[in-house]
């Protein structure tokens, strides 16, 4: 049995991966998480102490990173500042965590010869036109738009350089938009669900024609484990579930599921530099590693997600007012 260090394991996708790892494999898990506004210990409920250890610390702090890395056989690096809108208000934490934090982890992994898997995003490729027949592939040129996506692109390039220059045993995955339980209420789907639960109208940026390629977080987790166990060192894998939907269609589906009129939402000021469309071609991971998404019915995944937020108000309620206060600064 080996020890897997999971950075950002108290976040939305990191915590899903920790649960998946404990259920699906034999490893011990060491979580390193700073518990920023986005981290929540409650997302790591009901895990055996004999398998999972939690360390609170910053991935940009070389001493804590050296300590946990010395005990790890592999690291799966989720920790990041993850929200585009926040990066437009203050990019500094994005540079510190996504770039300096990743650099700090890479140096420690190199020193201790630890297998490294880097979690990244399809946003590093920029965006596509609505009618573009092409989708992103592993060879699409990098062209990030926002402070968030540019710091993620920078972190990917650092990983690639550590592979080439120092022989680091690393892989990278770039995934599309995740949804499911335990997602912070600042993000699109949980924001609209919790607005409706609070008796407020959903808020759609601009015309709402922007397209995102939705994948359930559980499918992201199974893809990451497949790469960790069978991926080719030095390679990048795109992860997606053919889930393209316009924001308008998603808001209307949420309203319908929650028993509200489908047009009961407001258009608000658009995000500056708003990427139009993301779309993933995940042929490589499917053919090379035999991975397939299990949550292919978006409507039913969305219904379950709505029910989860109905049932878990104590989890999301403490975050809601602060998230909405930030949106008030931009009129969104
Ligand atoms: P999240 O914001 O929900 O969680 C981030 C976690 O990282 C939190 O627990 C936070 O406390 C922790 N963290 C932040 N800064 C840290 C630091 N300096 N040191 C230690 N811990 C720190 O994010 P998420 O949505 O779960 O995203 C996780 C990863 O997946 C990110 O790397 C993100 O870029 C990537 N990703 C996200 C999506 C998506 O749709 N959410 C899609 C593709 C890729
Ligand atoms: O594509 C992967 C990326 O997906 C990840 O790398 C990011 O970490 C993750 O946050 C997500 O980025 P997006 O910017 O696409 O997600 P967000 O949930 O912020 O917004 C989704 C879409 O919905 C986007 O087009 C903006 C729009 N939106 C968002 C909010 C919060 C609205 O129309 N209204 C809203 O209130």
């Amino acid at each position: 049995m080996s020890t897997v260090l999971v950075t950002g394991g108290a976040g939305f996708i990191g915590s899903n991966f920790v649960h998946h790892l404990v259920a699906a494999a034999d490893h011990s898990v060491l979580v390193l998480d700073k518990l920023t506004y986005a981290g929540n210990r409650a997302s790591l409920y009901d895990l055996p102490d004999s398998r999972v250890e939690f360390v609170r610390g910053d991935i940009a702090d070389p001493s804590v990173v050296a300590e946990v890395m010395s005990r790890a056989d592999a690291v799966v690096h989720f920790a990041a500042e993850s929200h585009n809108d926040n990066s437009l208000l203050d990019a500094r934490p994005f540079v510190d965590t996504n770039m300096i934090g990743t650099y700090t982890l890479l140096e420690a992994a190199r020193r201790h010869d630890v297998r490294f898997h880097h979690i990244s995003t399809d946003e590093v490729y920029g965006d596509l036109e609505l009618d573009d027949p092409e989708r992103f592939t592993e060879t699409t040129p990098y062209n990030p738009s926002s402070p968030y996506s540019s710091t993620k692109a920078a972190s990917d390039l650092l990983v690639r350089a550590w592979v080439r220059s120092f022989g680091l045993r690393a892989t990278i995955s770039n995934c599309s938009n995740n949804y499911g339980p335990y997602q912070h209420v600042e993000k699109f789907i949980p924001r609209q669900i919790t607005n409706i639960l609070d008796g407020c109208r959903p808020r759609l940026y601009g015309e709402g024609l922007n397209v995102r390629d939705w994948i359930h977080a559980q499918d992201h987790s199974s893809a990451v484990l497949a790469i960790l166990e069978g991926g080719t060192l030095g390679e990048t894998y795109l992860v997606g579930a053919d889930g393209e939907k316009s924001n308008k269609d998603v808001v209307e589906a949420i309203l319908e599921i929650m028993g509200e009129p489908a047009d009961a939402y407001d258009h608000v000021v658009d995000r500056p530099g708003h990427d139009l469309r993301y779309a993933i071609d995940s042929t490589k991971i499917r053919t090379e590693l035999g991975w397939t998404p299990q949550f292919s019915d978006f409507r039913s995944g969305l219904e379950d997600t709505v029910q989860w937020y109905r049932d878990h108000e104590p989890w999301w309620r403490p975050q809601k007012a602060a998230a909405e206060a930030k949106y008030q600064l931009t009129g969104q």
Side-chain angles (χ1 to χ4, degrees), residues 215-292:
I215 179 173
H216 197 282
Q218 187 64 37
D219 282 331
H220 189 180
S221 288
S222 66
V224 170
L225 186 56
I227 298 166
L228 191 64
E229 290 179 337
T232 304
L233 296 179
E235 290 291 311
T236 289
Y237 294 87
L238 261 56
V239 180
D242 300 330
E244 282 188 68
K245 302 267 178 299
S246 75
N247 293 339
K248 186 169 173 292
D249 285 349
V250 173
V251 161
E252 288 174 359
I254 292 170
L255 282 159
E256 205 183 298
I257 289 167
M258 297 184 75
E260 301 289 332
D263 61 353
Y265 58 84
D266 293 326
H267 291 279
V268 297
V269 59
D270 208 351
R271 174 184 284 172
H274 197 173
D275 279 341
L276 190 51
R277 172 173 164 245
Y278 307 137
I280 289 265
D281 178 346
S282 57
T283 303
K284 179 175 173 178
I285 185 171
R286 290 175 194 243
T287 52
E288 278 189 18
L289 302 181
W291 171 84
T292 44

Side-chain angles (χ1 to χ4, degrees), residues 191 202-207 266-271 330-332:
R191 184 183 187 205
R203 319 268 289 170
L204 200 55
Y205 296 174
E207 291 300 305
D266 293 326
H267 291 279
V268 297
V269 59
D270 208 351
R271 174 184 284 172
T330 53
Q332 290 173 316

Side-chain angles (χ1 to χ4, degrees), residues 42-117:
S43 305
L44 292 170
Y45 69 97
D46 210 15
L47 288 163
D49 289 344
S50 58
R51 296 277 305 279
V52 181
E53 179 184 338
F54 183 85
V55 175
R56 184 172 189 177
D58 190 333
I59 57 164
D61 175 347
S63 56
V64 70
V65 166
E67 196 282 316
V68 289
M69 200 66 81
S70 71
R71 295 195 276 140
D73 300 290
V75 54
V76 182
H77 172 33
F78 289 91
E81 287 292 336
S82 68
H83 193 39
N84 276 299
D85 292 322
N86 291 342
S87 79
L88 295 163
L89 292 172
D90 179 12
R92 182 62 200 238
F94 291 75
V95 172
D96 291 342
T97 290
N98 301 357
M99 294 167 65
I100 306 295
T102 300
Y103 156 77
T104 307
L105 289 166
L106 287 169
E107 278 294 80
R110 170 159 87 108
R111 211 169 302 121
H112 294 277
D113 188 25
V114 172
R115 162 85 169 89
F116 198 98
H117 180 70

Side-chain angles (χ1 to χ4, degrees), residues 7-15 32-40 57-61 77-83 93 96-98 101 118-123 148 152 173-179 182-184 186-187 214-215 220:
T7 73
F12 164 46
I13 310 169
S15 62
L32 175 62
D33 197 296
K34 187 179 174 182
L35 295 181
T36 66
Y37 79 96
N40 193 336
D58 190 333
I59 57 164
D61 175 347
H77 172 33
F78 289 91
E81 287 292 336
S82 68
H83 193 39
D96 291 342
T97 290
N98 301 357
H118 180 59
I119 301 295
S120 193
T121 168
D122 59 359
E123 295 193 15
Y148 161 68
K152 289 298 291 186
S173 52
N174 297 78
C175 187
S176 58
N177 283 63
N178 286 219
Y179 76 100
Y182 296 100
Q183 185 168 31
H184 194 280
E186 70 190 352
K187 302 296 196 308
W214 294 99
I215 179 173
H220 189 180

